[in-house]
Amino acid sequence: KNQVEQSPQSLIILEGKNCTLQCNYTVSPFSNLRWYKQDTGRGPVSLTIMTFSENTKSNGRYTATLDADTKQSSLHITASQLSDSASYICVVSASRNTDKLIFGTGTRLQVFP
Amino acid sequence: SQTIHQWPATLVQPVGSPLSLECTVEGTSNPNLYWYRQAAGRGLQLLFYSVGIGQISSEVPQNLSASRPQDRQFILSSKKLLLSDSGFYLCAWTFLREGETQYFGPGTRLLVL
């Protein structure tokens, strides 16, 4: 069964600290893995997309890694800001078509001053 | 640039009433369009997707339906709402290309009482 599991479910950190969110997946075949940021009450916004051959990809203070052998991905946030408070969703595509996206339930991150 | 609109932003409806949510995309042509539902504390669930006018694929059998009367218009409907239809409904678009980013609308929060 295709699944995407994220951990932790929720996380609280202080402003300026770094954090790492985890994503494990059992999706086959694998096409690509995406990380989205979703502010409360808003639609998700894409942070990164990685294909099988990519090990790491950065978008500002966000760095995603992918280990296709162990089927694990992480999202590292550097020097967190209050505006980083959001849910972070890991999404794995099981085909070339975006109709086969498997969504994780997300990690709820709260950054406090 | 491309933008995606959804309305209404919030909606409170009684059980058994009809539903019509609208999504429109600007700045692009022939996009793939998607309707998702996000229940509280749950991941996104794909409801419908469309690769062209009048072409609708349903992922989950339920009392909802979708229509695409125009290239950049996607409508989610129901004849009789259930309590379980409450949730956050998101429209998204993308082009059919591997690794293509999926862009989400602002969402409609539906509460069925």
Side-chain angles (χ1 to χ4, degrees), chain A residues 11-84:
Chain A
L11 182 62
I12 298 174
I13 61 174
L14 294 177
E15 188 179 13
K17 298 296 185 182
N18 304 335
C19 67
T20 300
L21 314 181
Q22 299 292 341
C23 174
N24 297 337
Y25 61 93
T26 55
V27 176
S28 183
F30 173 86
S31 178
N32 59 68
L33 185 145
R34 309 145 185 249
W35 282 95
Y36 284 88
K37 177 186 178 186
Q38 184 177 20
D39 293 317
T40 301
R42 307 290 294 276
V45 175
S46 180
L47 295 176
T48 62
I49 299 178
M50 290 183 292
T51 59
F52 183 89
S53 59
E54 296 176 292
N55 300 120
T56 184
K57 183 165 281 189
S58 292
N59 178 358
R61 294 179 296 102
Y62 302 102
T63 299
T65 64
L66 174 64
D67 185 334
D69 292 331
T70 61
K71 299 187 177 181
Q72 295 178 326
S73 176
S74 65
L75 180 69
H76 186 75
I77 304 175
T78 304
S80 61
Q81 300 177 358
L82 298 179
S83 59
D84 292 331

Side-chain angles (χ1 to χ4, degrees), chain A residues 9 30-32 34 36 38 40-46 49 51 89 95-101 103-106, chain B residues 32 34 36 38 41-44 46 49 59 88 90 94-107 109:
Chain A
Q9 195 171 30
F30 173 86
S31 178
N32 59 68
R34 309 145 185 249
Y36 284 88
Q38 184 177 20
T40 301
R42 307 290 294 276
V45 175
S46 180
I49 299 178
T51 59
I89 304 172
S95 79
R96 297 176 64 91
N97 302 334
T98 46
D99 56 290
K100 299 299 180 188
L101 297 179
F103 287 79
T105 54
Chain B
N32 288 348
Y34 307 82
Y36 290 90
Q38 186 175 36
R42 307 284 296 275
L44 275 74
L46 178 62
Y49 69 94
E59 288 292 305
F88 192 46
L90 289 159
T94 190
F95 287 118
L96 183 58
R97 237 186 2 242
E98 183 175 7
E100 184 64 52
T101 297
Q102 199 170 35
Y103 298 94
F104 287 84
R109 187 160 300 283

Side-chain angles (χ1 to χ4, degrees), chain B residues 70-101:
Chain B
Q70 300 180 46
D71 180 46
R72 289 168 287 180
Q73 184 184 31
F74 206 21
I75 298 173
L76 182 69
S77 304
S78 174
K79 293 182 178 178
K80 286 185 178 182
L81 284 169
L82 306 173
L83 288 175
S84 57
D85 291 325
S86 294
F88 192 46
Y89 288 82
L90 289 159
C91 179
W93 75 272
T94 190
F95 287 118
L96 183 58
R97 237 186 2 242
E98 183 175 7
E100 184 64 52
T101 297

